Amino acid sequence: MIIIKTKKEIEKMHKSGKLLASCHKEISKIIKPGITTWEIDQFVEKFLNENQAKAAQKGYNGYKYATCASVNDEICHGFPRKEPLKDGDIVTIDMVVNIDGWLADSAWSYGVGEISDEAKKLMEITKESLYRAIHKAVIGNRIGDISHEIQSFAESQGYSIVREFIGHGIGQNIHEDPQVLHFGPPGRGPRLKEGMVFTIEPMINTGSRRCFLEDNGWTARTFDGSLSAQYEHTIAITKDGPLILTEQ
Ligand code: MF3
Ligand code: CO
């Protein structure tokens, strides 16, 4: 069941989303060779708590950290760790912010120091696939139109799309209906209505789309060791078009 949000509820989620966006902006300033994803996680938790917000991922299904930090061939749900990031790494930081019970979810990929042209291109294509998909999030379209846009664009550029992890409705719970796949035919799935709020969060690889789950039970990695990037926004469907809640 898709829970439709009122304008007031969307405003509350927007408040969480704006704080999340400002947190990502701070991360972009501190991320450089030598910093650890552990330190970034500590920074995020402190930043959120100082702003009367909670890191909603912490404790969710037993997850222990404020952020997921996925480096290079890690696709998602990487654990923050005390190993310094190196020049040329790419790292996706994903987090969910809770203010007064209303949530917002956004992930961003960052380059550390000087990154390769291959990594730069992957990040550009992944980000563009997210924004192209957001443009399809208009009343009357279907969820499948969003899914299809990501797949047709990313694959036309020679990249592959991870299928095991998908976007989702969000509100007072991290995961609600609808499911938002990042692949599939257009014209399928629920029709978009005013007040729907969900994430779009493509994970895109330079190599094969195949992945495996690490022994920690959480972290997904590319099977062939190729690079993976991810960008995620929480968006609301409004009469005036898609409203990105996780931008400043
Ligand atoms: N941020 C994740 C997503 O984009 C949701 C939380 S996963 C967990 O779907 F690591 F916190 F459990
Ligand atoms: Co997320």
Side-chain angles (χ1 to χ4, degrees), residues 9 12 45 158 166 180 193 215:
E9 290 167 344
K12 288 182 185 175
E45 195 171 358
I166 62 180
V180 184
K193 292 204 180 86
D215 291 341

Side-chain angles (χ1 to χ4, degrees), residues 35-106:
I35 195 170
T36 70
T37 49
W38 176 268
E39 288 165 327
I40 294 169
D41 190 74
Q42 301 278 99
F43 169 82
V44 166
E45 195 171 358
K46 188 159 170 272
F47 181 90
L48 297 182
N49 293 340
E50 282 171 358
N51 287 280
Q52 289 71 50
K54 280 188 278 192
Q57 291 190 157
K58 200 166 175 171
Y60 179 75
N61 288 342
Y63 191 74
K64 288 198 179 68
Y65 311 95
T67 62
C68 297
S70 308
V71 182
N72 296 332
D73 60 329
E74 290 174 335
I75 296 166
C76 64
H77 302 160
F79 290 174
R81 51 183 177 250
K82 290 176 178 165
E83 182 189 322
L85 291 169
K86 303 183 303 297
D87 193 48
D89 283 343
I90 61 170
V91 53
T92 301
I93 306 290
D94 188 4
M95 71 186 94
V96 182
V97 171
N98 176 345
I99 301 178
D100 298 331
W102 290 93
L103 309 178
D105 186 357
S106 173

Side-chain angles (χ1 to χ4, degrees), residues 29-214:
K29 292 181 201 160
I30 61 171
I31 204 157
K32 42 172 94 67
I35 195 170
T36 70
T37 49
W38 176 268
E39 288 165 327
I40 294 169
D41 190 74
Q42 301 278 99
F43 169 82
V44 166
E45 195 171 358
K46 188 159 170 272
F47 181 90
L48 297 182
N49 293 340
E50 282 171 358
N51 287 280
Q52 289 71 50
K54 280 188 278 192
Q57 291 190 157
K58 200 166 175 171
Y60 179 75
N61 288 342
Y63 191 74
K64 288 198 179 68
Y65 311 95
T67 62
C68 297
S70 308
V71 182
N72 296 332
D73 60 329
E74 290 174 335
I75 296 166
C76 64
H77 302 160
F79 290 174
R81 51 183 177 250
K82 290 176 178 165
E83 182 189 322
L85 291 169
K86 303 183 303 297
D87 193 48
D89 283 343
I90 61 170
V91 53
T92 301
I93 306 290
D94 188 4
M95 71 186 94
V96 182
V97 171
N98 176 345
I99 301 178
D100 298 331
W102 290 93
L103 309 178
D105 186 357
S106 173
W108 213 251
S109 289
Y110 297 92
V112 181
E114 196 64 43
I115 61 170
S116 67
D117 289 344
E118 185 197 23
K120 258 185 222 157
K121 183 88 193 295
L122 169 70
M123 289 165 63
E124 278 165 21
I125 296 295
T126 308
K127 196 193 286 182
E128 187 172 344
S129 75
L130 169 62
Y131 281 92
R132 280 176 177 249
I134 291 172
H135 282 117
K136 297 283 176 185
V138 293
I139 291 171
N141 269 359
R142 291 180 184 271
I143 291 284
D145 298 322
I146 293 172
S147 311
H148 181 72
E149 180 66 22
I150 294 167
Q151 183 174 28
S152 58
F153 175 66
E155 289 184 352
S156 76
Q157 301 294 313
Y159 294 86
S160 70
I161 296 144
V162 174
R163 303 204 176 189
E164 286 79 358
F165 302 91
I166 62 180
H168 50 88
I170 179 167
Q172 288 177 295
N173 313 292
I174 293 188
H175 291 123
E176 298 180 357
D177 286 338
Q179 298 195 334
V180 184
L181 277 60
H182 305 116
F183 60 94
R188 301 257 183 97
R191 223 176 253 291
L192 301 179
K193 292 204 180 86
E194 188 181 9
M196 287 184 179
V197 182
F198 53 82
T199 73
I200 307 175
E201 48 180 305
M203 280 145 269
I204 292 185
N205 303 344
T206 54
S208 147
R209 68 175 174 81
R210 287 184 67 194
C211 65
F212 70 95
L213 200 61
E214 275 189 28

